[in-house]
Amino acid sequence: MPEAAIPVLKPNVSQQEALRVFSSPGPLALYWTLRRGPLQRIADVYVPFWLYQASYQSNRNRMQRWFALDAVSGSLDLFEFPKPPMGDALELVETRNFLQPALADSQALERVRDKVLRIVFQQGFFKLRGRQLEIERHAGLFYMPYWLAFYGGRGLVRCRVMDAVRRRIEGAKATAFFEQWLAA
């Protein structure tokens, strides 16, 4: 894959911090070493996201929230922003480690609608008035940074995923997402 300059949301985790988390001593590191093998290396990877504005009536208030959906499969967790990420929140990164958007607009809209409805209902089903949820995609594409840790040996390599913005280790869904990309 050729190298390109892509707009990336600034990460909150450096390579050294990610390495420290993935290799830190303790029960979790021991579990990964025993189950998957030793830590081999880490790499940064960037996933494309589209930005959506969700508007709905909650009680007497008109709510407007900003969500980002991954443009590859729509399967990763939504990101929520207080305002659209622009300007100083983004940086250009020269890299080969980025995924291409692959999700059709209609599928993306359906997935973001389902996920936003789930979020709104979790905050109180009866708050949503009029059953009207308006979702609008905003122009542009930006990338979210992730750290992948590769474990293994003897020809079998598995990965662990860290969200470099939220500073958290992701679960099985994100691991499967990246392992599928790596296998392709």
Side-chain angles (χ1 to χ4, degrees), residues 126-138:
F126 298 106
K127 290 183 178 182
L128 188 62
R129 299 285 183 224
R131 296 182 181 230
Q132 188 170 11
L133 173 64
E134 298 169 14
I135 300 202
E136 179 184 346
R137 183 171 144 197
H138 283 256

Side-chain angles (χ1 to χ4, degrees), residues 53-67 80 112-113 115-136:
Q53 182 180 24
S55 302
Y56 58 93
Q57 194 72 31
S58 175
N59 291 333
R60 293 184 181 138
N61 300 322
R62 183 78 177 157
M63 304 295 292
Q64 291 187 338
R65 298 169 73 179
W66 296 93
F67 295 97
E80 184 172 4
V112 76
R113 180 176 296 283
K115 289 181 179 206
V116 169
L117 278 173
R118 192 173 309 124
I119 289 170
V120 171
F121 288 160
Q122 286 175 348
Q123 295 173 347
F125 172 75
F126 298 106
K127 290 183 178 182
L128 188 62
R129 299 285 183 224
R131 296 182 181 230
Q132 188 170 11
L133 173 64
E134 298 169 14
I135 300 202
E136 179 184 346

